[in-house]
Amino acid sequence: MVRFNPKARLDRSRVRDVGRSGGGGATGMRIPIPGGIGGKGGIGGLVLVIALVILAQCTGIDILGGGSGGGSASNAPKLLTYDACESGGDANDNRDCARVATENTLTGFWESQDIDGFRPVDGLYTFSGSVSTGCGNASSDVGPFYCPPDESIYLDTRFFDQVLEDQLGGPDGLFVEMYVLAHEYGHHISNVIGDMARVKSQQTGPESPGVRLELQADCFAGMWAKAAPTIEDDNGEVIISEITEQDLKLGLDAAAAVGDDYIQRKTQGQVQEEAWTHGSSAQRQYWFTVGYEADSMEDCATFDVDSVQVPR
């Protein structure tokens, strides 16, 4: 299991809990649960739903639940549930504090990459039930997602138990959440470097721009995983002491559990490649591994390769 350095000091400034607010839909990387649009999210009208779907297709980021409203999570009440997260020792003892430590290593890693115009995510916001974001209102039907307008990551912490494990049969373990957060942070990097803006069509399928965006985020997650045990706090202490081979296997298993083909088999009993929006299990595992073995961000240039299929 991942171990954090007890001597490391944690920066809680970007990790916040915003409780309950709003309701409805959102944009982001999520697990496509059947019946999402038009389901219990509360649709604000058919025209809005169609507009949201088109927006999702054009950005390569999915919508689940629809909804009206907007606003920024920074205006929501802060519950300050992370106040006790001060050290790597706290991260070893508490899953919430491990989330803070993970965000710290993600920010530290991407700061070290000398990316033109880099800025950290505005926030990593946890919520329960619903939350108001710069992309609209998100219900708990939505899994973890990145919102480009407010450059923030949102996470209903019940997702891993209720959806990934119970509904999809995915793996359980701390590194599963770490992989998902690294993927969402990868979307932020794609946004910063301008690759997110390259998704302009409504095309789906294993070579589509949206799939290339998702696989780039997986590749970026792999880059972080390789470097994570070397990332230090402001005092020069590494934050993560160890990521084991078992942790990496959990990450790969999680990548497989959110593959389009796997989800289609689980939810509809057949695979339709032309409908893929995130990539197959094999594609997601492959690009995570490419990132883990990468020498630079150029190795994750999924928009610039002829094919993002797994080489035979």
Side-chain angles (χ1 to χ4, degrees), residues 164-185:
L164 186 59
E165 294 175 40
D166 295 346
Q167 294 186 33
L168 295 178
D172 177 30
L174 173 59
F175 195 77
V176 174
E177 179 172 340
M178 296 174 76
Y179 152 71
V180 170
L181 292 178
H183 174 101
E184 299 307 334
Y185 214 111

Side-chain angles (χ1 to χ4, degrees), residues 181-224:
L181 292 178
H183 174 101
E184 299 307 334
Y185 214 111
H187 278 316
H188 177 62
I189 301 305
S190 295
N191 188 26
V192 170
I193 65 178
D195 277 355
M196 185 170 285
R198 298 172 70 173
V199 183
K200 299 178 180 178
S201 76
Q202 300 178 32
Q203 179 185 356
T204 59
E207 296 283 2
S208 64
V211 165
R212 288 173 184 261
L213 183 70
E214 295 297 332
L215 297 179
Q216 184 175 67
D218 282 330
C219 190
F220 287 159
M223 287 184 64
W224 162 82

Side-chain angles (χ1 to χ4, degrees), residues 266-312:
K266 291 283 288 187
T267 60
Q268 61 192 36
Q270 61 181 343
V271 175
Q272 297 175 296
E273 289 190 11
E274 68 276 8
W276 288 0
T277 58
H278 287 71
S280 68
S281 296
Q283 282 179 300
R284 304 199 67 165
Q285 290 181 316
Y286 171 73
W287 281 100
F288 178 88
T289 303
V290 169
Y292 190 81
E293 297 174 350
D295 294 321
S296 72
M297 290 178 64
E298 293 181 0
D299 294 321
C300 294
T302 53
F303 288 90
D304 299 327
V305 296
D306 292 335
S307 175
V308 289
Q309 297 280 39
V310 179
R312 295 182 181 275

Side-chain angles (χ1 to χ4, degrees), residues 11-310:
D11 177 0
R12 306 184 300 267
S13 63
R14 288 178 299 275
V15 184
R16 306 153 202 165
D17 191 277
V18 294
R20 292 177 178 268
S21 66
T27 67
M29 176 259 186
R30 46 43 113 188
I31 305 303
I33 306 301
I37 292 180
K40 57 186 177 181
I43 305 302
L46 180 59
V47 173
L48 176 59
V49 174
I50 294 173
L52 286 170
V53 171
I54 293 174
L55 172 64
Q57 291 173 329
C58 290
T59 59
I61 304 175
D62 290 340
I63 300 283
L64 182 64
S68 59
S72 169
S74 61
N75 295 324
K78 307 299 186 296
L79 301 187
L80 303 178
T81 57
Y82 295 99
D83 278 359
C85 301
E86 297 181 348
S87 70
D90 296 327
N92 285 326
D93 296 336
N94 184 290
R95 189 73 166 256
D96 293 333
C97 296
R99 192 173 302 125
V100 177
T102 301
E103 186 280 333
N104 287 185
T105 63
L106 283 162
T107 295
F109 171 67
W110 289 112
E111 281 179 337
S112 72
Q113 295 304 295
D114 194 28
I115 299 171
D116 187 35
F118 173 79
R119 60 273 183 190
V121 294
D122 182 71
L124 166 56
Y125 296 99
T126 54
F127 68 95
S128 177
S130 59
V131 65
S132 179
T133 82
C135 295
N137 292 326
S139 75
S140 57
D141 286 336
V142 183
F145 63 97
Y146 170 74
C147 175
D150 62 22
E151 297 192 342
S152 295
I153 296 169
Y154 295 87
L155 168 68
D156 186 328
T157 56
R158 299 170 299 176
F159 163 79
F160 297 97
D161 292 334
Q162 296 183 358
V163 178
L164 186 59
E165 294 175 40
D166 295 346
Q167 294 186 33
L168 295 178
D172 177 30
L174 173 59
F175 195 77
V176 174
E177 179 172 340
M178 296 174 76
Y179 152 71
V180 170
L181 292 178
H183 174 101
E184 299 307 334
Y185 214 111
H187 278 316
H188 177 62
I189 301 305
S190 295
N191 188 26
V192 170
I193 65 178
D195 277 355
M196 185 170 285
R198 298 172 70 173
V199 183
K200 299 178 180 178
S201 76
Q202 300 178 32
Q203 179 185 356
T204 59
E207 296 283 2
S208 64
V211 165
R212 288 173 184 261
L213 183 70
E214 295 297 332
L215 297 179
Q216 184 175 67
D218 282 330
C219 190
F220 287 159
M223 287 184 64
W224 162 82
K226 180 69 172 182
T230 69
I231 305 303
E232 300 176 346
D233 66 10
D234 290 341
N235 296 321
E237 292 282 352
V238 294
I239 299 172
I240 295 177
S241 299
E242 181 182 21
I243 292 178
T244 67
E245 290 297 322
Q246 180 62 25
D247 293 321
L248 295 174
K249 182 180 183 302
L250 284 175
L252 289 170
D253 289 347
V258 291
D260 283 322
D261 54 340
Y262 177 85
I263 293 171
Q264 286 175 341
R265 289 191 190 95
K266 291 283 288 187
T267 60
Q268 61 192 36
Q270 61 181 343
V271 175
Q272 297 175 296
E273 289 190 11
E274 68 276 8
W276 288 0
T277 58
H278 287 71
S280 68
S281 296
Q283 282 179 300
R284 304 199 67 165
Q285 290 181 316
Y286 171 73
W287 281 100
F288 178 88
T289 303
V290 169
Y292 190 81
E293 297 174 350
D295 294 321
S296 72
M297 290 178 64
E298 293 181 0
D299 294 321
C300 294
T302 53
F303 288 90
D304 299 327
V305 296
D306 292 335
S307 175
V308 289
Q309 297 280 39
V310 179

